[in-house]
Amino acid sequence: MSFTAKVVTAAAWGARPPKSGTFPFQMTIPRYVIVHHTNNQNPPNDASRGTLEGAIKLARNIQNFHMDDNDWSDSGHNFLNTTGGLILEGRHGSLDAVKKGFCIQSAHAGQDPGKLANGNQSPGIENEGNFMTFQMSEKQWESLVELCVSLCDSCNISPLNIKGHRDFSNTDCPGDLLYSQLPSLRKQVADKLGMQFTPEQLENESPFVTLRFGSTGSAVIKLQQRLRDRGFNPGAVDGVFGENTQTAVKAFQRSVGLEDDGIVGSHTRTKLGLS
């Protein structure tokens, strides 16, 4: 496992120290890479102007907002990807943690009902700009791909688990256009890591993907909700296909005369009434 992306550390850009008594932050085992946008203006009016000096100023402004206005202990995100393709560390300790295959507890992806859980235990990437309708530049895209490759490789995260902020919270972040590009991001990261996935897997929202132990995403949430509706308890409706969900699937399969293999393929989907 390796981390090769070039990152300007929090110390190097002059970040404020975390609030007293909060550091070091809790170490976590990451499951996802979570993509955000800063909701700042886009080029040619971008805050950083594509320069290192501008990137440092932006990082400081974001940290000040998170600490002073939101009353957080430090920057909420783990990494900032600017319009110039420069990557800056956010929350203190993020870079050292991911190089060791871990993350640190952060504050970028709180959970809302019906959404994926535990986002703050995985690295969050703020991308400078507003991508509701704006196309990210090639330079910034390339640095996003490289950072995601390093995070997936170092932390043993599947490229299929590259998600958007809106998968965890009721928000339009990371913007409609960037969110629609996540399948392409997953594919490019997978290609660089030598992994192959089907288009349906890369889309990550297809209801026809076979679900099994270890699967994650909105399709798992739909499965868990349907199991609960049918009287089979999958545990928390959190989008993670764990032991409780597997047990509930097996019980449902036995109840309808299917092989209880715990795998949600076409026959189990049909019986559950999942589209």
Side-chain angles (χ1 to χ4, degrees):
M1 298 186 294
S2 61
F3 188 99
T4 59
K6 184 178 180 181
V7 177
V8 180
T9 66
W13 60 261
R16 293 164 55 182
K19 290 184 178 179
S20 177
T22 64
F23 189 78
F25 297 109
Q26 177 184 348
M27 196 78 73
T28 62
I29 298 176
R31 180 186 294 270
Y32 308 103
V33 175
I34 303 172
V35 178
H36 300 257
H37 70 180
T38 62
N39 203 22
N40 291 104
Q41 288 186 293
N42 300 308
N45 299 312
D46 50 318
S48 75
R49 297 296 194 269
T51 67
L52 176 58
E53 180 182 6
I56 290 173
K57 183 178 179 180
L58 175 61
R60 289 175 177 169
N61 287 341
I62 293 174
Q63 186 190 36
N64 287 337
F65 176 76
H66 286 175
M67 295 181 69
D68 298 337
D69 292 69
N70 291 353
D71 198 26
W72 294 347
S73 54
D74 194 1
S75 297
H77 58 283
N78 301 99
F79 299 96
L80 169 65
N81 177 36
T82 68
T83 55
L86 298 166
I87 302 170
L88 287 74
E89 182 181 29
R91 180 158 292 208
H92 284 78
S94 293
L95 183 59
D96 285 342
V98 297
K99 284 183 174 181
K100 297 173 183 176
F102 296 97
C103 191
I104 56 171
Q105 188 75 22
S106 48
H108 59 86
Q111 183 193 6
D112 285 320
K115 300 286 187 175
L116 293 177
N118 303 322
N120 286 330
Q121 297 177 12
S122 293
I125 305 170
E126 286 279 11
N127 293 278
E128 181 186 4
N130 180 313
F131 301 103
M132 287 300 294
T133 58
F134 185 81
Q135 179 83 42
M136 181 181 284
S137 72
E138 183 176 352
K139 191 171 187 177
Q140 189 177 15
W141 177 263
E142 288 176 351
S143 59
L144 175 60
V145 171
E146 180 58 32
L147 179 55
C148 288
V149 169
S150 288
L151 290 170
C152 288
D153 193 25
S154 183
C155 298
N156 195 29
I157 299 171
S158 169
L160 299 183
N161 277 354
I162 297 174
K163 305 287 188 179
H165 184 189
R166 64 178 63 178
D167 292 316
F168 299 83
S169 308
N170 294 325
T171 175
D172 62 13
C173 181
D176 291 347
L177 188 52
L178 182 54
Y179 189 77
S180 73
Q181 292 177 295
L182 292 186
S184 177
L185 179 60
R186 296 180 190 117
K187 184 178 187 308
Q188 290 188 35
V189 172
D191 287 347
K192 286 181 176 292
L193 292 173
M195 300 178 180
Q196 292 186 340
F197 298 103
T198 66
E200 291 78 13
Q201 288 174 310
L202 293 166
E203 187 66 29
N204 225 0
E205 297 299 327
S206 170
F208 303 107
V209 176
T210 297
L211 301 175
R212 64 185 75 225
F213 187 86
S215 296
T216 61
S218 61
V220 178
I221 289 178
K222 293 177 184 177
L223 166 65
Q224 292 168 329
Q225 290 172 332
R226 186 55 56 87
L227 285 167
R228 180 166 288 184
D229 291 343
R230 297 291 292 269
F232 298 89
N233 184 13
V237 179
D238 57 4
V240 179
F241 198 130
E243 291 183 0
N244 291 333
T245 300
Q246 185 181 58
T247 298
V249 168
K250 288 182 177 181
F252 170 77
Q253 289 172 325
R254 289 193 295 270
S255 74
V256 294
L258 295 175
E259 179 185 359
D260 59 342
D261 57 6
I263 298 172
V264 183
S266 59
H267 295 301
T268 301
R269 283 185 176 281
T270 299
K271 293 290 187 179
L272 273 171
L274 290 168
S275 58

